[in-house]
Amino acid sequence: MTESAAPSSFAPLSLYDTLSATKKPLALQEPGRCKLYVCGPTVYDMSHIGHARAAVVPDILVRLLRASGLEVVYVRNITDVEDKIIKRAADEGVSPEVITTRYTDAYHDDLDALHCLRPDIEPRVTDNIPQIVALIERLVANELAYPVDGDVYYRVARFEHYGALSKRSLDDMQAGARVEINERKESPLDFVLWKGAKPGEPQWPSPWGPGRPGWHIECSAMSLRHLGETFDLHAGGRDLIFPHHENEIAQSQGACGPGTFARHWLHNGFIDFAGEKMSKSLGNFFTIREVRNLYLPEALRYFLLGVHYRSGLNFDVEAPCPSCRHLLDPEQQQASHCPACAAPLELARLRAHVRFPGLEEADDRVAYIYDTLLRCQRALATTSEPDAPQQNIVASAVSGMLPGFLAALRDDLNTAAAIAALSEPLREVNRQLEFKKKPEIAGRRPTLARFLADMPAISQHLGLFADDPTTYLRERRDRKAARLRLDVAEVERLLRMREAARAKKDWKEADRLRAELGLLGATLQDSAEGSTWTL
RNA sequence: GGCCUGGUAGCCAAGUGGUAAGGCAGAGCUCUGCAAAAGCUCUAUACGCCGGUUCAAUUCCGGCCCAGGCCUCCA
């Protein structure tokens, strides 16, 4: 990492805070140390790309904090007790542990592929039952919670700041109440902390009888255990603001007192499908795994970072008719036959032929950057121009790249602007790479060298572009070939034939073979070193 | 109904009280046996509507329209 990428003191970082509803500088409780809690997944199914975003956003934050020289304590929980897990286990006739283990492993595998750093601590609810029970006991002692027939509920009306995070008053909530009828509760707004056991469900002993924790108490208990009564940052998806995070505040401050718990709240926006939260027509959502089968994970990560984290991100899906390629709109996707060619439509086939234009654009862009890296490495390795190491002749676009990039990130994690800050330097480097025939151009070598020297810091912050370019580009091509159902061996065979024709300057035959390859979907690049192909 | 976001060129998307990043798509050119890739140039008088504050608003305030989210598990 270069000097400029690793400031010795903590560079100012401003973040939007949901509680105060303002962008403000991150002020740490302890200098040099940042304690962060992120709400993790409930592990009952494969994670979708929304989960990916909720993991990538805090990952960018952690990377930035660490690169700024801070020690970060990063906690992200796994929720492994929950209704949906129990249901899934019952459906499959296996124990809940089978379900939670399977999907925890898959979650880790997906996030590793997306280059998300593992949290330092990843507590599970099932390992924290005594802590949860103890916390509930404190709330009962404070008269903020009350047991009823084996359940324990939180007495919302007793917590004066309830609604501060989600900006709504108790009256608002009462008014719009779509709350289930439960005459055990003193108020419909009260929420459950402990659920009395039902036959056949996981259960643990407690002062109120056997049972299991409610949905919100776990995060209060686990953050308290691992980060203490007060910590710096709490992150999660926007939808968690109410009621989950509102309830966490009520629980934690109810037990530990005013002014405790998270000092700063970070919430990421949602991923939308076709302008709505989810696409009903194509079966609601796409999993990370499905996307990984089609594209390299860096494409997805780049795509997720292309938009500011608080904005909604539209995940465009194009569904062509598998038979005639007519683009089906959402309504037509539900039809039994294609309106253009009358071929029968079925969901599974539709999903298999789906395209993601935004992801493809991201995929191309990532490849462009890797390609620039590769060309740059080669140019520096092969040219013998005299060294001219004066820093002042580095092209300004390139010398300004890293500072501009970091400034954008430090302004509320503006990854969109940070990525945009790479465009001009990239163009400048490629421009200089064009001067093959006059390598004596002033500043060329120092500029390329500087670019190559600064890119690792950018990779480190973004979790992107850290692979060997040749390897990445080859894997990408192979993945794309598989996606387009292209016969790689056949392409290679035709390519060799064309090489032979070109050697004989038989342009007619070479062009014929290129046309044939084009039909297969391959695009050729001829160079002095020979021909290669891409898609 | 309550609360909350957002509406920027063909599409995606930053940002700002003083005349608007970046990407994609499109056009021409350079390079090339021809291409591709890369680069260069160009392209759009893009800031939902109506008022107000101001010397000046896309940026602040009010109203309206539209879209979306939350109010139930949800990243």
Side-chain angles (χ1 to χ4, degrees):
Chain A
M1 192 169 294
T2 61
E3 274 176 34
S4 49
S8 51
S9 62
F10 175 45
L13 163 65
S14 71
L15 288 174
Y16 183 86
D17 167 46
T18 308
L19 183 58
S20 59
T22 54
K23 197 155 81 173
K24 62 182 196 187
L26 176 62
L28 298 170
Q29 193 185 357
E30 269 176 69
R33 192 152 181 260
C34 181
K35 297 190 286 185
L36 166 70
Y37 187 92
V38 179
C39 285
T42 300
V43 281
Y44 70 97
D45 204 348
M46 295 301 288
S47 300
H48 57 252
I49 55 175
H51 295 111
R53 191 179 196 195
V56 166
V57 167
D59 185 64
I60 291 292
L61 174 64
V62 169
R63 286 168 177 272
L64 179 61
L65 294 171
R66 291 208 172 122
S68 301
L70 293 176
E71 180 197 347
V72 179
V73 185
Y74 175 16
V75 180
R76 185 182 63 210
N77 70 289
I78 294 281
T79 297
D80 59 353
V81 183
E82 210 266 341
D83 290 350
K84 293 194 200 80
I85 295 169
I86 295 167
K87 181 176 187 309
R88 180 102 191 204
D91 289 350
E92 293 192 21
V94 297
S95 72
E97 292 74 40
V98 171
I99 301 296
T100 59
T101 301
R102 182 200 302 158
Y103 292 115
T104 300
D105 289 348
Y107 183 70
H108 286 152
D109 185 64
D110 283 338
L111 293 196
D112 287 349
L114 284 170
H115 300 171
C116 289
L117 305 170
R118 294 268 181 121
D120 301 301
I121 303 169
E122 193 172 54
R124 291 160 202 250
V125 177
T126 50
D127 294 330
N128 285 273
I129 303 295
Q131 286 76 11
I132 289 170
V133 168
L135 188 59
I136 297 175
E137 284 184 298
R138 285 171 77 173
L139 291 169
V140 171
N142 289 349
E143 297 187 357
L144 285 161
Y146 55 95
V148 185
D149 299 340
D151 293 345
V152 182
Y153 296 96
Y154 192 98
R155 191 174 274 130
V156 167
R158 271 291 184 87
F159 183 71
E160 63 171 323
H161 299 301
Y162 198 79
L165 185 71
S166 54
K167 320 290 180 224
R168 53 188 92 189
S169 68
L170 287 179
D171 290 343
D172 291 341
M173 290 183 248
Q174 308 264 23
R178 286 198 268 157
V179 199
E180 86 280 19
I181 315 259
N182 180 345
E183 61 279 0
R184 296 189 199 181
K185 295 200 278 190
E186 291 177 5
S187 155
L189 263 23
D190 292 351
F191 58 91
V192 70
L193 299 169
W194 187 261
K195 305 169 93 162
K198 291 184 194 150
E201 291 186 353
Q203 51 184 272
W204 291 264
S206 85
W208 317 283
R212 59 189 169 99
W215 312 289
H216 310 295
I217 193 70
E218 58 188 65
C219 288
S220 286
M222 293 187 287
S223 64
L224 176 62
R225 178 177 180 184
H226 295 290
L227 296 176
E229 291 190 352
T230 305
F231 53 95
D232 297 295
L233 275 153
H234 193 133
R238 219 178 179 66
D239 55 328
L240 261 27
I241 294 173
F242 189 88
H244 186 60
H245 289 162
E246 198 72 73
N247 291 352
E248 283 186 41
I249 293 173
Q251 292 160 351
S252 294
Q253 293 189 349
C256 302
T260 58
F261 207 48
R263 296 153 55 89
H264 205 114
W265 290 86
L266 188 82
H267 290 102
N268 64 273
F270 263 63
I271 291 182
D272 302 324
F273 294 88
E276 285 181 27
K277 190 170 167 184
M278 293 193 258
S279 140
K280 316 291 189 255
S281 41
L282 284 169
N284 278 19
F285 57 77
F286 289 85
T287 62
I288 300 172
R289 201 57 64 88
E290 283 174 289
V291 171
R292 283 176 62 194
N293 286 334
L294 299 173
Y295 304 87
L296 289 183
E298 288 205 22
L300 177 56
R301 186 167 170 113
Y302 185 96
F303 174 75
L304 294 174
L305 296 176
V307 180
H308 187 92
Y309 75 90
R310 280 190 281 121
S311 305
L313 204 190
N314 202 44
F315 189 70
D316 279 323
V317 182
E318 279 185 0
C321 164
S323 306
C324 72
R325 302 189 136 198
H326 167 78
L327 233 45
L328 273 6
D329 66 36
E331 222 165 284
Q332 294 169 336
Q333 290 159 22
Q334 312 242 43
S336 57
H337 296 272
C338 172
C341 72
L345 299 175
E346 50 176 307
L347 187 61
R349 285 244 306 154
L350 239 40
R351 279 181 76 96
H353 287 261
V354 119
R355 290 186 60 239
F356 308 111
L359 258 187
E360 285 178 18
E361 194 179 315
D363 184 47
D364 287 345
R365 198 66 188 157
V366 173
Y368 166 74
I369 294 172
Y370 269 114
D371 194 50
T372 303
L373 246 14
L374 179 62
R375 290 174 1 115
C376 206
Q377 288 170 358
R378 283 184 180 155
L380 284 178
T382 58
T383 57
S384 55
E385 67 196 85
D387 281 343
Q390 304 98 305
Q391 284 301 101
N392 61 355
I393 55 173
V394 171
S396 64
V398 170
S399 61
M401 175 173 75
L402 193 47
F405 173 85
L406 291 173
L409 274 191
R410 290 196 178 114
D411 181 13
D412 197 23
L413 305 181
N414 194 336
T415 52
I419 285 173
L422 305 181
S423 281
E424 200 191 334
L426 246 8
R427 206 181 311 118
E428 177 61 28
V429 165
N430 275 301
R431 186 185 297 139
Q432 302 232 3
L433 251 7
E434 286 298 297
F435 295 125
K436 279 179 194 150
K437 286 168 183 166
K438 32 177 182 170
E440 72 278 7
I441 183 163
R444 177 179 189 261
R445 191 175 185 87
T447 296
L448 299 189
R450 175 63 174 275
F451 173 75
L452 240 28
D454 283 359
M455 276 306 283
I458 283 165
S459 290
Q460 187 59 38
H461 278 87
L462 251 25
L464 249 18
F465 320 129
D467 273 4
D468 170 62
T470 308
T471 308
Y472 182 89
L473 260 9
R474 193 183 54 237
E475 281 177 6
R476 170 175 180 268
R477 192 186 69 186
D478 292 347
R479 183 68 52 97
K480 205 165 170 181
R483 183 166 83 235
L484 301 173
R485 298 160 177 83
L486 180 109
D487 184 345
V488 174
E490 175 67 0
V491 169
E492 299 281 0
R493 191 180 68 81
L494 293 170
L495 188 71
R496 281 192 298 275
M497 286 172 63
R498 183 167 173 279
E499 291 271 65
R502 289 188 74 229
K504 289 185 285 187
K505 294 200 189 296
D506 182 352
W507 306 126
K508 202 179 165 189
E509 175 66 0
D511 288 349
R512 190 191 67 75
L513 286 162
R514 180 167 57 203
E516 199 171 325
L517 282 157
L519 249 35
L520 289 173
T523 307
L524 303 182
Q525 293 89 43
D526 297 332
S527 73
E529 295 85 45
S531 300
T532 55
W533 63 280
T534 53
L535 289 161

